[in-house]
Amino acid sequence: MVKLRGILPFFPLAWLAALFCLPLTSCTRVAAKTNTTATEAIPVRAVRAVREDVPLEIEAVGNVEAIDSVDVKSRIAGQINRVAFAEGQSVSKGQLLFSIDRETLERQMGEEQANLERDAAMEQQARAVVARDAAAEKQSQSEADVARQLGTLGVISRQRVSQLITTSDTSQAALHADQSAVEAAAGSTKADRARLAETQLQLRFTDVVAPISGRAGAVMVKAGNMVRDNDTTLVTLRQLAPIYITFGIPEQSLAEVRRLNAAGQLTVDASTDSTNVSGSESADGLVRGGHLVFIDNTVDATTGTIRLKAIFPNTNNALWPGEFVNVRLQLGMETGRTVVPESSVQDSLDGKYVWLIQSGSASTASVTVLRTYRPSSGPEQAIIGSGIKSGDMVVTEGQLRLTDGVTVTLLSTPGTKLSHSNPTLTP
């Protein structure tokens, strides 16, 4: 049996040496990892702040309203024979919309025409009687005058004179009666003509025409149904071009809007929900060509806003009655403002700030934002009052991983190009 003398005391020393080396190895690896992280560049996207002219405007939500809206109703009672247009069709003023049965009115008109002819004949006959009795009355009056003279001379008896005078008075009374009959016949004829004219007017009302030019809505009464005069709405017409947009602005802006509108008509743009609106007035949902035409005479006490109205040509029907749109009331232009994308502005307890890139490293800069606005194309922009200047590089994406002094690398941004030798943006 071999005895291992002198070896056993060696094992405790070996174990101690091994345990001592393990922490040294771990520390070396952690240090190496820490150095790698410290030198790793953080990728971000950035753009340069620019100086440009920006519009001074008020944004609001507006409602599209038709300038004219008419509920078309029948002015006579009857049965609808025909609907002469299609639902949703654009119609012109005076265009036939509905046709109502004419048969009953035509029979009534024939009867009234016959009554008129009869009463006109009776009037003519009464006038002939008046002419005859007028001649007889003239003759009897002449005989009575002669009889009075002869009676004064004693040529004829007083009894004969009285007879002739009585005959003259009777003829005169008959003439007055005949004249009254003529007036009565003339009145009947006039009434017949009025009734006939009313029936003829109602016959014209059997053709229901468009009172305005506009777009027709849904047909509420179909052919074959009975309608009463001025009762059921047959169809609603709304004028689409031009068209109104009604919107409200804060009462604090009223004085400025009134002042600028008095100096010159203010322009208004509207943005619809559609992404492709054809026509020269609009592009990418933006409808131009509107101008302010109305400022209400009172402020709404519950909302603190005042109602305004703008008119748009709307020749391509981009705006639709009842639609809600975003409205921009253009007040003027501000020149030489420093502008950055709104996404580059961050919030902190101390206020707003942006990340700047200088010499390949990131640092913060406190800024004041006057306001934001959304151009006709592109993202929302922030107008900077102080803190940065035109040409400064501001980070728009990747701010969450940044710390002061950290090294950054710039990812390509639309509209810019990246230099391979130096990781900075080249305008």
Side-chain angles (χ1 to χ4, degrees):
M1 181 176 181
V2 179
K3 294 182 180 180
L4 299 176
R5 293 181 178 180
I7 298 178
L8 291 177
F10 173 77
F11 279 100
L13 294 175
W15 281 104
L16 288 173
L19 293 173
F20 180 77
C21 292
L22 285 175
L24 293 177
T25 304
S26 300
C27 291
T28 303
R29 292 178 178 175
V30 171
K33 184 176 181 180
T34 303
N35 291 335
T36 301
T37 304
T39 58
E40 181 183 354
I42 298 176
V44 295
R45 297 186 190 276
V47 297
R48 294 190 184 276
V50 296
R51 183 177 294 275
E52 61 182 29
D53 298 341
V54 294
L56 180 61
E57 57 193 18
I58 299 176
E59 294 189 357
V61 176
N63 182 244
V64 182
E65 297 179 358
I67 292 181
D68 284 333
S69 178
V70 178
D71 292 334
V72 179
K73 297 182 179 182
S74 173
R75 301 178 67 173
I76 61 170
Q79 184 181 39
I80 294 181
N81 284 341
R82 182 168 69 99
V83 178
F85 69 101
E87 294 179 319
Q89 175 185 345
S90 294
V91 299
S92 302
K93 183 177 180 180
Q95 179 177 335
L96 178 64
L97 302 179
F98 297 90
S99 177
I100 299 177
D101 181 60
R102 300 167 57 94
E103 183 178 355
T104 301
L105 289 175
E106 286 175 345
R107 288 201 304 268
Q108 180 178 336
M109 187 179 69
E111 181 180 350
E112 290 171 351
Q113 181 68 40
N115 292 337
L116 174 61
E117 293 174 357
R118 180 199 62 194
D119 290 341
M122 293 181 64
E123 179 186 358
Q124 188 68 24
Q125 182 180 1
R127 293 184 183 280
V129 172
V130 166
R132 182 197 62 190
D133 290 347
E137 189 272 338
K138 184 177 181 181
Q139 177 65 30
S140 61
Q141 181 66 37
S142 176
E143 291 177 354
D145 292 340
V146 173
R148 289 189 185 93
Q149 295 177 0
L150 294 177
T152 302
L153 297 175
V155 177
I156 59 176
S157 64
R158 295 179 60 86
Q159 181 178 4
R160 181 58 180 170
V161 173
S162 297
Q163 288 177 348
L164 293 175
I165 292 175
T166 301
T167 301
S168 175
D169 292 341
T170 301
S171 298
Q172 189 174 9
L175 178 61
H176 290 162
D178 293 339
Q179 290 173 341
S180 297
V182 169
E183 293 176 359
S188 297
T189 303
K190 187 176 181 180
D192 291 339
R193 287 196 177 97
R195 284 190 291 268
L196 180 60
E198 176 66 20
T199 303
Q200 291 172 339
L201 181 62
Q202 289 184 337
L203 270 174
R204 288 200 296 270
F205 291 157
T206 58
D207 290 338
V208 181
V209 299
I212 63 170
S213 297
R215 191 177 183 89
V219 177
M220 307 305 295
V221 181
K222 308 297 183 180
N225 287 280
M226 298 293 297
V227 293
R228 291 183 294 180
D229 56 310
N230 199 29
D231 183 25
T232 304
T233 298
L234 305 180
V235 68
T236 299
L237 302 181
R238 288 186 172 88
Q239 180 179 334
L240 300 185
I243 204 166
Y244 283 144
I245 293 183
T246 301
F247 59 98
I249 64 171
E251 59 180 317
Q252 294 82 0
S253 305
L254 175 59
E256 184 70 5
V257 169
R258 291 182 59 194
R259 182 183 67 82
L260 294 173
N261 193 55
Q265 208 167 47
L266 296 179
T267 60
V268 181
D269 295 337
S271 177
T272 65
D273 291 335
S274 58
T275 56
N276 290 305
V277 182
S278 61
S280 59
E281 296 176 22
S282 59
D284 297 330
L286 184 63
V287 183
R288 302 183 184 275
H291 59 270
L292 190 65
V293 294
F294 171 75
I295 301 176
D296 207 350
N297 59 0
T298 183
V299 175
D300 190 337
T302 59
T303 61
T305 60
I306 186 166
R307 190 166 64 104
L308 277 63
K309 190 177 291 186
I311 190 170
F312 286 77
N314 201 35
T315 55
N316 60 348
N317 293 340
L319 299 173
W320 212 252
E323 183 179 23
F324 287 96
V325 294
N326 296 317
V327 177
R328 293 180 182 177
L329 175 61
Q330 305 287 344
L331 301 182
M333 294 292 291
E334 293 182 318
T335 60
R337 290 294 190 183
T338 301
V339 177
V340 297
E342 195 273 338
S343 60
S344 66
V345 180
Q346 306 292 301
D347 290 307
S348 69
L349 295 177
D350 297 327
K352 296 183 181 297
Y353 67 97
V354 296
W355 284 98
L356 292 179
I357 299 178
Q358 295 175 336
S359 301
S361 61
S363 62
T364 58
S366 298
V367 296
T368 57
V369 178
L370 300 179
R371 59 186 177 89
T372 62
Y373 84 102
R374 185 178 296 276
S376 58
S377 61
E380 189 169 5
Q381 302 291 307
I383 302 174
I384 305 299
S386 62
I388 61 174
K389 62 183 183 299
S390 177
D392 288 344
M393 189 77 68
V394 296
V395 178
T396 58
E397 295 182 31
Q399 295 97 323
L400 293 178
R401 299 181 59 190
L402 297 181
T403 57
D404 280 328
V406 70
T407 303
V408 297
T409 179
L410 296 179
L411 301 174
S412 61
T413 304
T416 61
K417 56 184 178 180
L418 189 63
S419 171
H420 295 286
S421 60
N422 188 9
T424 58
L425 285 177
T426 303

